[in-house]
Amino acid sequence: MYETQTVALIAFLALIAGLAAGAWLVNKLSPSHQSRKALESHIQKLQRQQQDYQEQVNQHFNQTAELLNQMTESYRDVHNHLAKSAGELTSHGISPLQSLPEDRPVIQGEPLARPAEQPLDYAPRSPGYKGALDESYGLDKSNKKSEETVTAPSGL
């Protein structure tokens, strides 16, 4: 019949194959694996939603910018029409309205020669002089206090 070594080898290989198959099934059917897959799919879904939302925000702001530009152009057209009509229809031909330029104005300016400073929360003083917030500011200590008599108002 079969030799003992052959039977032992077959049994050992069957044991190894059974353990491998069992480990694979446990890994596939375990709740942690399923929950991990569910979490990964949920994260991917949230990422897609976030990307869609960002795209909607970008589209919204692009459309808002376009509408504001159109509104600005319409305002400029109305203003220029009023300025032209006011110039033509006034008796002296001079209108207080001036036409706006057709192109967008460019803000030009030179940088400040000296950077802007934060306002001081105290009264500045010259060196050697008392500042306006000094306790003795404006008081002459060399003169003696003149005695003043305080009288009560009459009729009390």
Side-chain angles (χ1 to χ4, degrees):
M1 284 264 212
Y2 297 108
E3 289 187 30
T4 316
Q5 286 181 338
T6 307
V7 172
L9 181 63
I10 292 174
F12 179 72
L13 290 176
L15 177 68
I16 296 295
L19 287 175
W24 181 78
L25 278 175
V26 165
N27 188 23
K28 272 300 201 191
L29 300 177
S30 71
S32 64
H33 180 72
Q34 291 174 349
S35 65
R36 183 174 30 159
K37 286 180 92 177
L39 286 175
E40 288 174 357
S41 66
H42 184 66
I43 288 173
Q44 289 175 352
K45 178 183 172 186
L46 290 175
Q47 286 175 339
R48 280 192 305 271
Q49 287 177 348
Q50 178 68 20
Q51 289 172 348
D52 292 344
Y53 177 74
Q54 287 176 347
E55 183 63 30
Q56 287 176 350
V57 168
N58 288 338
Q59 289 175 357
H60 168 77
F61 282 112
N62 287 337
Q63 183 181 9
T64 301
E66 289 176 20
L67 291 173
L68 282 173
N69 287 336
Q70 290 174 3
M71 185 176 73
T72 302
E73 296 298 324
S74 296
Y75 172 77
R76 181 176 293 138
D77 292 342
V78 169
H79 181 85
N80 288 340
H81 171 72
L82 288 173
K84 179 182 173 191
S85 298
E88 292 172 357
L89 298 176
T90 56
S91 60
H92 46 74
I94 299 174
S95 170
L97 294 176
Q98 297 177 357
S99 295
L100 296 174
E102 290 299 320
D103 58 343
R104 294 173 192 243
V106 177
I107 298 175
Q108 296 177 349
E110 297 177 13
L112 298 174
R114 177 176 72 130
E117 294 180 7
Q118 186 175 7
L120 302 175
D121 61 347
Y122 58 90
R125 63 181 180 91
S126 301
Y129 294 101
K130 295 180 180 179
L133 297 178
D134 191 84
E135 287 183 14
S136 61
Y137 180 77
L139 298 177
D140 191 9
K141 292 189 176 186
S142 62
N143 293 339
K144 294 183 179 179
K145 287 187 177 180
S146 61
E147 294 183 23
E148 296 179 10
T149 53
V150 178
T151 58
S154 62
L156 287 180

